[in-house]
Amino acid sequence: MSKKNIPFILLIAFSAIIYFTLPYFNHSVEVSETPKTTSIDSASLIKPEPKMLYGMVVDSLVIIEDKIKRNQNIAEILLPHNVTNEAIYQLAKISKEVFDVRKLVANKKYTLICERDSLKTAKAFVYEHNSTEYVVFNLRDSISVEKKQKEIQIVEKGVAGIIESNLSVTMQELGLSPQLTNDFVDVFAWQIDFFRLQKGDKFKLIYEDHLVEGQSIGSGKIKSIYFEHFGNDFYGFHYDQGDGIDYFDENGNSLRKALLKYPLDFTRISSRYSGNRYHPVQKRYKAHRGTDFAAPRGTPIRSVGDGIVLEARYQKYNGNYVKVKHNATYTTQYLHMSGIKSGIRPGMKVRQGDIIGYVGSTGLATGNHLCYRFWKNGVQIDALKVDLPPSAPIKKENALAFNLKKNQMLNQLEMINFPEENATVFASVK
């Protein structure tokens, strides 16, 4: 090879080196300008929610649930969990104003929240007083007692039914509470004789159900009702004009009267008002100037209206009874009580719906029942046939708002099918 060709060959070799190494050179520059990052799942950075029970974090604690046994006291529950007699005495002392620990009821649920140690030392004792309340007994360094309320969820529900025998049985078969049946009857008490329903009568009902931890604890107010009775349509819509909930028909007329139709929750009429009835005790025919409602002993009896108690005493034939004067026109009397409610005495005021006594069989009676008597202008009449003036209708200034609400409730009622049409239950969370 001549010396003249050496520079040329070196030039070619140098160019080749640059050509083949340049991509790697460029790559290294890019890496230095844009640092490499590691992808991390953001979900792994989020801490899980702590487990809560009765407002306390219990992730690392032992939970013991049980029910109060008959004649069991709080010491029997706490002593095995490293709580001293002195601490239990102090707990009982400071809790009296919140909840008396001597009043634990058998079969009520309780929960012990304990340390994860060999003794399972109790940190808190929780007693579920009723379906909506519970009491927390804090057993840490500073002993304290607190009564708390469970969250209540209100859900609107709708249901439809067809009466085969009577309203109570039909409502029960639909899984509805006796209280809801009583409220239903109260809405239409002056329009419909619920003791003379016919087979095939239909109804649709929208009401509030109160839930705690997903379980129903009782019904709230009725929102609307459709009732078909003897081929006639009856509607009831709840509305508040500023002085409390009342019920109105589709034209805005009140369904309420000055007095309740019935003095006790929906039950059975055992004997109606009559001018000539065979008396089961005296064994002869005589006038029966009252309406007898058969009901279990102890069933609460309510005053059908506001008024002043005229009499509250025992009499040979009437047994324990209460007599109430409602106004210058109407007076009512309630006979054969097992007992008059404590505090009911002549001269005191009572409000519509107040309990004044309890069903019994005192006086001239063969079984537990209430004999309900009614006077109009001093003359005894049939309480079930009295015609009272209605409460005030929807006011003019409330007419537009009422009609809007009524139309909404009508649409909800139309969404519910009767059983023969594959009934469905309408439900929405309020």
Side-chain angles (χ1 to χ4, degrees):
M1 180 183 297
S2 67
K3 290 182 178 181
K4 291 181 178 180
N5 293 330
I6 290 174
F8 179 72
I9 293 171
L10 290 173
L11 180 61
I12 293 174
F14 181 75
S15 299
I17 291 170
I18 296 298
Y19 178 81
F20 286 107
T21 59
L22 185 59
Y24 298 99
F25 178 79
N26 290 338
H27 179 69
S28 65
V29 170
E30 290 175 359
V31 170
S32 64
E33 291 179 350
T34 309
K36 186 177 180 180
T37 59
T38 303
S39 177
I40 300 176
D41 186 358
S42 60
S44 65
L45 298 176
I46 301 175
K47 293 183 179 180
E49 289 288 331
K51 182 180 179 182
M52 303 293 293
L53 187 65
Y54 300 111
M56 294 174 277
V57 178
V58 296
D59 283 320
S60 59
L61 302 175
V62 176
I63 308 301
I64 301 172
E65 295 181 338
D66 205 344
K67 291 185 177 181
I68 303 293
K69 296 176 179 58
R70 188 176 180 183
N71 299 323
Q72 189 175 31
N73 59 52
I74 195 168
E76 293 177 51
I77 298 170
L78 297 181
L79 283 173
H81 291 276
N82 202 25
V83 182
T84 66
N85 279 306
E86 181 183 354
I88 294 171
Y89 173 78
Q90 184 182 356
L91 184 73
K93 185 178 180 180
I94 67 173
S95 68
K96 284 184 178 179
E97 293 184 3
V98 180
F99 180 82
D100 190 341
V101 296
R102 295 174 299 178
K103 295 182 179 180
L104 298 179
V105 178
N107 293 318
K108 293 284 187 179
K109 180 185 174 182
Y110 74 83
T111 302
L112 279 169
I113 300 173
C114 306
E115 297 281 9
R116 197 175 288 278
D117 56 16
S118 59
L119 297 175
K120 293 184 180 178
T121 302
K123 294 170 67 69
F125 169 71
V126 182
Y127 174 67
E128 298 200 6
H129 176 54
N130 54 45
S131 58
T132 61
E133 292 180 323
Y134 60 93
V135 184
V136 179
F137 299 86
N138 183 16
L139 301 165
R140 300 180 187 184
D141 297 333
S142 177
I143 294 177
S144 62
V145 182
E146 185 179 5
K147 184 178 286 187
K148 294 187 176 182
Q149 189 86 17
K150 292 184 179 180
E151 181 182 357
I152 299 176
Q153 183 186 27
I154 300 177
V155 178
E156 283 187 3
K157 291 186 176 181
V159 69
I162 299 177
I163 294 174
E164 291 295 325
S165 55
N166 61 59
L167 180 64
S168 296
V169 171
T170 304
M171 296 279 275
Q172 184 178 5
E173 289 174 348
L174 291 169
L176 304 175
S177 68
Q179 184 57 54
L180 196 61
T181 303
N182 297 329
D183 294 343
F184 186 123
V185 171
D186 279 345
V187 172
F188 287 125
W190 289 99
Q191 288 73 36
I192 298 169
D193 185 349
F194 283 91
F195 297 100
R196 290 179 173 171
L197 299 181
Q198 70 170 5
K199 182 177 179 180
D201 283 352
K202 303 177 180 181
F203 64 86
K204 294 180 181 182
L205 173 67
I206 295 176
Y207 65 98
E208 290 181 347
D209 195 14
H210 292 179
L211 307 177
V212 170
E213 298 173 347
Q215 298 296 317
S216 176
I217 61 168
S219 57
K221 59 179 173 285
I222 290 174
K223 307 299 288 292
S224 58
I225 305 177
Y226 164 75
F227 198 92
E228 183 183 313
H229 176 54
F230 281 98
N232 297 311
D233 297 336
F234 296 87
Y235 286 94
F237 303 101
H238 100 299
Y239 192 78
D240 188 348
Q241 299 200 86
D243 51 2
I245 295 293
D246 203 348
Y247 288 87
F248 303 87
D249 65 17
E250 65 274 28
N251 298 314
N253 297 313
S254 176
L255 299 175
R256 299 283 196 180
K257 301 284 187 177
L259 303 178
L260 297 175
K261 183 81 169 186
Y262 308 116
L264 69 173
D265 286 342
F266 190 59
T267 179
R268 177 176 66 87
I269 291 179
S270 55
S271 182
R272 291 178 177 265
Y273 185 97
S274 172
N276 191 26
R277 184 198 69 158
Y278 184 76
H279 197 285
V281 177
Q282 296 179 324
K283 306 299 182 184
R284 62 187 179 89
Y285 285 93
K286 59 181 294 188
H288 182 240
R289 305 298 188 191
T291 302
D292 289 349
F293 294 89
R297 179 182 176 85
T299 299
I301 299 168
R302 56 190 181 179
S303 174
V304 296
D306 296 355
I308 303 295
V309 176
L310 294 179
E311 300 175 57
R313 63 190 181 95
Y314 178 87
Q315 196 177 60
K316 181 179 179 181
Y317 296 115
N318 294 340
N320 295 311
Y321 75 92
V322 173
K323 193 171 186 178
V324 180
K325 183 178 181 65
H326 301 287
N327 51 36
T329 305
Y330 302 109
T331 301
T332 56
Q333 189 179 26
Y334 313 80
L335 281 59
H336 308 304
M337 296 176 172
S338 60
I340 298 169
K341 186 182 177 183
S342 177
I344 298 296
R345 59 188 183 279
M348 75 173 296
K349 293 181 180 180
V350 291
R351 299 298 301 270
Q352 186 179 75
D354 282 354
I355 295 173
I356 55 176
Y358 307 91
V359 169
S361 57
T362 58
L364 198 61
T366 57
N368 293 314
H369 74 284
L370 166 68
C371 179
Y372 173 50
R373 295 181 177 178
F374 197 101
W375 283 263
K376 180 178 181 181
N377 295 321
V379 178
Q380 276 190 270
I381 61 173
D382 187 345
L384 301 184
K385 293 183 178 179
V386 64
D387 186 21
L388 294 172
S391 298
I394 291 291
K395 301 172 185 175
K396 289 183 179 180
E397 59 268 31
N398 296 329
L400 179 59
F402 169 75
N403 284 324
L404 289 172
K405 190 67 176 177
K406 176 196 71 177
N407 290 335
Q408 179 187 348
M409 289 186 280
L410 274 172
N411 290 335
Q412 290 178 328
L413 287 169
E414 290 176 1
M415 291 170 62
I416 307 171
N417 298 320
F418 287 111
E420 73 266 26
E421 301 168 359
N422 299 318
T424 57
V425 174
F426 161 84
S428 63
V429 179
K430 184 178 180 182

